[in-house]
Structures are given as C-alpha cells and as structure tokens.
Amino acid sequence: MKLQQLPLNNKRVLLRVDYNVALENGRVAEPKRIEATLPTLRYLLERKATVIVLSHLGRPKGQDVQFSLKPVTETLASYLKKEKLPHSGCSLWPGTYPSAETKKRVDSMEEGEILLLENLRFNAGEEKNDAALAKGLAELGDCFVQEAFGALHRAHASVDALPRQLPSAFGFLVEKEIEVLTKVLTNPPKPFVVLLGGVKVSDKIGAIENFLKRGVDKVLVGGALAYTFLSSQGIGVGQSPVEKDWVGRVGELMKRQNGSRRLILRQDHWIVQDFKNPTNPKVTDGPGIPEGWEGMDVGPKTLEVFGREIAQAKTIFWNGPVGVIEVAPFEKGSSQIAALVAAQTKKRTLTVLGGGDTIHAISKAKISETAFSHVSTGGGATIEFLEGKTLPGIAAIQQ
Ligand code: ADP
Ligand code: 3PG
Ligand code: MG
C-alpha cells in the first residue's frame, strides 16, 4: 500500500525508522538519518496522526544506557521546532514491550504527539523476530509505516513480524531509496560504472557478482578489498590486510572475467612501513607492495584510470572509501574520487552513493550531499538490495 492510501486521520501510527546514528560524547554526530525522515513525519502530523516512533540504535546486549535513544530524541525535537512541524510534543518512553503501562501511555497520547519508544533492541525478542513482541507492538497502533531503509535487510520483529499484523505502507524515504536503487540495478543509463572500496570482500562480493551478471560496464575495485583481489592473482601486497578465506572465490571471479577489463583493480598504492606511525609514505610503481609495507590509499595511476572510467559513465554507484580516510593524508584518494563523481553529476550522470564511511569521506572532502543524485541512508541494506536479494522488510510490506 502507498502511504497516501493509508487512512491516517486521528489514527495512531507506528513509524519504524532507522535512527541508528553515530554518537559522540552523548550527542548525535551525524543526523542524516533523522533528517531524512522529516517529510514523512510532516505528512503524518499534518494529517492529525499521533506518531509512535520505533528504532534500534547500535548493537546493545540487553538494556545498556549507552545505547539509549535519548540523544536522538533531543536532535529530533530540535528539528521538529526548526522545521515548524505541527506537533504537540516529542518525548522518549523508556519501557519494554508488551506492557500495560505502555498501552496506557499510548492511549493517553494527544493528536499530533510524537512518542519515541526506547531502543527496540532492549527487548530480547527484537532480533529474534519474536511474535509476542510484534503482537505487543501492534496493539499500540492502528497502522504501520516502514521508513527504516537501513534496517530492511534484518528479519527482526519490528521489520518483519510487526508489519504483517497491521495495515502497512512504506514511508517516502523508503519509496525513494527503492526507486533509485531499482533503477541502478535494472535499468541504469550506460555506460554503468560501479566503484567499490572499503575493507570486507565478504560484505561486497555478492554485489560485485550480481552487477557483473547483469552486464555492468566496469567494476572498479579500490579499497582494502583490492588486496584480496591482487593476492588471488599472485601479486604480493606486503603487510596489507587480505581475507584469506575469500581468495579462492575472488580468484574464480577473476578467471570468469578472463581479462575482459570489466573488472579493474587498483594499479598502485600509497604505502607505509608502520600503520600506527604512518610517516614517510611512498608511492609504488605498480600493483605489488613490498614485504614489510602496507597499503593506505590509491596512487596517481589508479586515480587516472578510475577517473577515465568515471568521466565516461552515465550511471555511477560508489560504496566504500578507497583509502584509510581516518588517517591523514590518506583520505586524499577518496576526496579526489568524490570530486570526480560530483563533477560527473553536473554532466547529468546518475550518481548514487551508499555507506556510512562513504558519507564520511564526502564530508571530509567538503562536498555536499546535494552534489550527487542520491545518497543512500543504507549500509548493509543497500548492498543486499543491489545483490538482488529480497529484503525481509520489503517482503513484509508487499505481502
Ligand atoms: P561504507 O561504510 O561506506 O560501506 P566500509 O565500511 O566498507 O565503507 O569501509 C570503510 C573503511 O575502509 C574505512 O574505515 C577505511 O579505513 C577502510 N579502507 C579503505 N581503503 C583502505 C585501504 N586501502 N587500506 C585499509 N583500509 C581501507
Ligand atoms: C545499519 O546501520 O546498517 C542499520 O541500522 C542496521 O544495523 P545493524 O547492522 O546493527 O543491524
Ligand atoms: Mg562502514
């Protein structure tokens, strides 16, 4: 069902969001995921709904105050004020569910009121997709709106079991994410270039294989995951991290490509001798890294080759920094990639980014998110969507 088809007037709406945001010193450090839900909140409030907001935060073991949604409530309240949303209050409810007190509190909510329920993962049943927890939550609302794009790949109670019990719809953010990523997956303007960085081959190989199967023009492998690819080709990578268990599968993938040049690996690297004290970096001549040295960022040859592919693309999907952006000056390669992709957006290329660290990389490069066609709020969810998997949170709404 579309959000526009859900009867909302004077209804109690359970709104599942992904407010799993980065915190620093007890405050929200990166509010993008909160901001991205404001259009749906506005829509609900303007239709005089009372809104019960559900989210997880982090991976707590039990009820650990470090993972409280309190800082999120404060940030949300300041946005509601700033954006002049028609609400009558916004507060955090510390209970777990199902409980009679929570039911009583929700029954006493006023029109336009927003109540954030404390971290869903404080309930043992959430990650177990527990039916009793889903039932307890369902009793609190008349309908359900799924706005937690970043959590759609989790078969958890609030994502899977709960929406199956109530009239349900996607929120505007989830609609937009699905629309853009479906275009990237099924009908990208060509040439289509995928740039993958980051650390874990295991997280991304499914997406690489699916893109190749679907006829992507180029896959550029840039981050630390490239070390496993280079290793599979018998190229030494010194002390750089290699996922040994994946060398075999990566080697087979390379063999299937059979020198087609659809898969392009890093060509050179900035390297250091001591990761903990990364002084005197030097650049390699080629893809190999000498013993005792470790890769930190892509070198100029890689940027030139990747830059050429980016400049020709009509669709670009980028996930994962190409260097260790946390340690200066090794954020430079990712900053340059960000600038190249942003420049391509101006030439009407569809540019789509995803991943928490990728967003961090563009902010380090001082490039606004508006310089890209779409910046996904999902991490694992975006990658699993692009692997072609059916996400539990989508299946539950489309049942
Ligand atoms: P995202 O959150 O955007 O999906 P990932 O979590 O997959 O990205 O990867 C981010 C991490 O990848 C960063 O912490 C960065 O330090 C690391 N990284 C990228 N390139 C390299 C490299 N060449 N060597 C070591 N680490 C790297
Ligand atoms: C994310 O940040 O990717 C989502 O909120 C899911 O979090 P999780 O990986 O802890 O399930
Ligand atoms: Mg990450």
Side-chain angles (χ1 to χ4, degrees):
M1 207 186 295
K2 287 234 176 250
L3 183 51
Q4 291 88 339
Q5 293 165 300
L6 265 190
L8 295 169
N9 218 319
N10 297 313
K11 300 282 189 210
R12 290 170 310 174
V13 180
L14 291 170
L15 176 67
R16 174 57 159 112
V17 294
D18 183 355
Y19 289 166
N20 181 24
V21 295
L23 301 178
E24 260 167 38
N25 306 321
R27 305 187 70 120
V28 172
E30 173 48 68
K32 177 183 164 70
R33 281 179 165 177
I34 301 173
E35 242 179 86
T37 63
L38 293 176
T40 293
L41 266 171
R42 176 182 294 283
Y43 184 87
L44 298 176
L45 295 170
E46 282 174 350
R47 275 148 196 85
K48 305 192 186 311
T50 48
V51 186
I52 301 137
V53 181
L54 313 173
S55 182
H56 71 283
L57 176 77
R59 294 175 180 174
K61 308 252 174 300
Q63 298 188 38
D64 179 345
V65 289
Q66 272 193 71
F67 295 93
S68 170
L69 283 167
K70 190 156 180 288
V72 171
T73 318
E74 284 158 14
T75 302
L76 178 62
S78 70
Y79 272 116
L80 295 170
K81 211 163 141 194
K82 201 165 77 191
E83 303 281 323
K84 300 199 173 66
L85 264 68
H87 69 292
S88 62
C90 161
S91 50
L92 182 68
W93 177 252
T96 49
Y97 323 97
S99 82
E101 297 81 46
T102 309
K103 185 82 174 71
K104 219 165 109 190
R105 173 68 181 87
V106 167
D107 286 342
S108 73
M109 280 174 77
E110 290 169 28
E111 176 193 305
E113 192 180 345
I114 300 171
L115 187 69
L116 233 83
L117 303 192
E118 185 54 288
N119 195 340
L120 287 166
R121 291 185 182 174
F122 286 0
N123 299 278
E126 168 64 1
E127 288 167 79
K128 295 185 189 132
N129 204 7
D130 179 59
L133 173 60
K135 186 160 172 283
L137 289 169
E139 279 166 3
L140 302 176
D142 302 304
C143 60
F144 177 90
V145 176
Q146 179 53 278
E147 191 65 321
F149 182 76
L152 293 183
H153 59 318
R154 302 294 183 214
H156 294 172
S158 64
V159 181
D160 185 4
L162 170 60
R164 295 177 188 275
Q165 305 201 17
L166 289 172
S168 294
F170 293 127
F172 298 132
L173 168 67
V174 171
E175 286 272 0
K176 172 90 194 293
E177 294 267 18
I178 293 177
E179 181 195 315
V180 176
L181 296 175
T182 301
K183 179 152 192 199
V184 167
L185 196 60
T186 59
N187 190 23
K190 305 273 260 170
F192 175 27
V193 172
V194 170
L195 168 59
L196 287 175
V199 199
K200 286 198 158 179
V201 176
S202 39
D203 283 352
K204 309 202 177 175
I205 189 153
I208 297 179
E209 286 174 341
N210 195 36
F211 278 129
L212 288 167
K213 199 171 80 196
R214 287 173 170 272
V216 66
D217 295 287
K218 299 281 164 163
V219 178
L220 314 177
V221 183
L225 57 98
Y227 306 133
T228 303
F229 279 78
L230 292 170
S231 206
S232 79
Q233 303 304 291
I235 296 171
V237 293
Q239 271 27 75
S240 312
V242 170
E243 276 178 88
K244 295 213 169 61
D245 295 348
W246 290 86
V247 171
R249 176 143 161 209
V250 165
E252 279 163 32
L253 174 71
M254 294 290 290
K255 209 154 140 201
R256 281 200 301 277
Q257 290 314 305
N258 198 15
S260 72
R261 301 244 345 124
R262 282 212 297 155
L263 196 67
I264 306 181
L265 307 182
R266 294 163 76 117
Q267 315 274 307
D268 60 354
H269 319 265
W270 280 102
I271 56 174
V272 296
Q273 268 184 308
D274 181 3
F275 182 87
K276 292 209 179 75
N277 180 27
T279 45
N280 302 322
K282 66 175 193 180
V283 72
T284 61
D285 290 333
I289 298 177
E291 271 313 305
W293 291 77
E294 175 165 356
M296 297 295 280
D297 197 5
V298 291
K301 279 185 201 153
T302 308
L303 286 171
E304 195 191 315
V305 172
F306 285 11
R308 221 179 294 140
E309 300 300 340
I310 289 170
Q312 286 169 17
K314 283 278 161 267
T315 306
I316 299 169
F317 175 74
W318 175 27
N319 166 266
V322 293
V324 186
I325 54 168
E326 300 83 356
V327 183
F330 305 106
E331 77 292 350
K332 280 195 178 158
S334 302
S335 293
Q336 239 173 300
I337 296 278
L340 291 169
V341 176
Q344 210 50 27
T345 319
K346 283 201 181 137
K347 294 196 226 151
R348 311 185 71 188
T349 291
L350 173 66
T351 57
V352 180
L353 272 56
D357 293 292
T358 312
I359 294 171
H360 193 193
I362 63 166
S363 87
K364 280 200 162 226
K366 301 208 165 37
I367 297 176
S368 150
E369 289 189 11
T370 55
F372 307 94
S373 316
H374 180 70
V375 179
S376 178
T377 53
T382 308
I383 294 291
E384 287 197 26
F385 188 94
L386 294 173
E387 277 177 44
K389 286 187 184 159
T390 304
L391 306 186
I394 295 182
I397 301 283
Q398 290 174 340
Q399 61 184 314

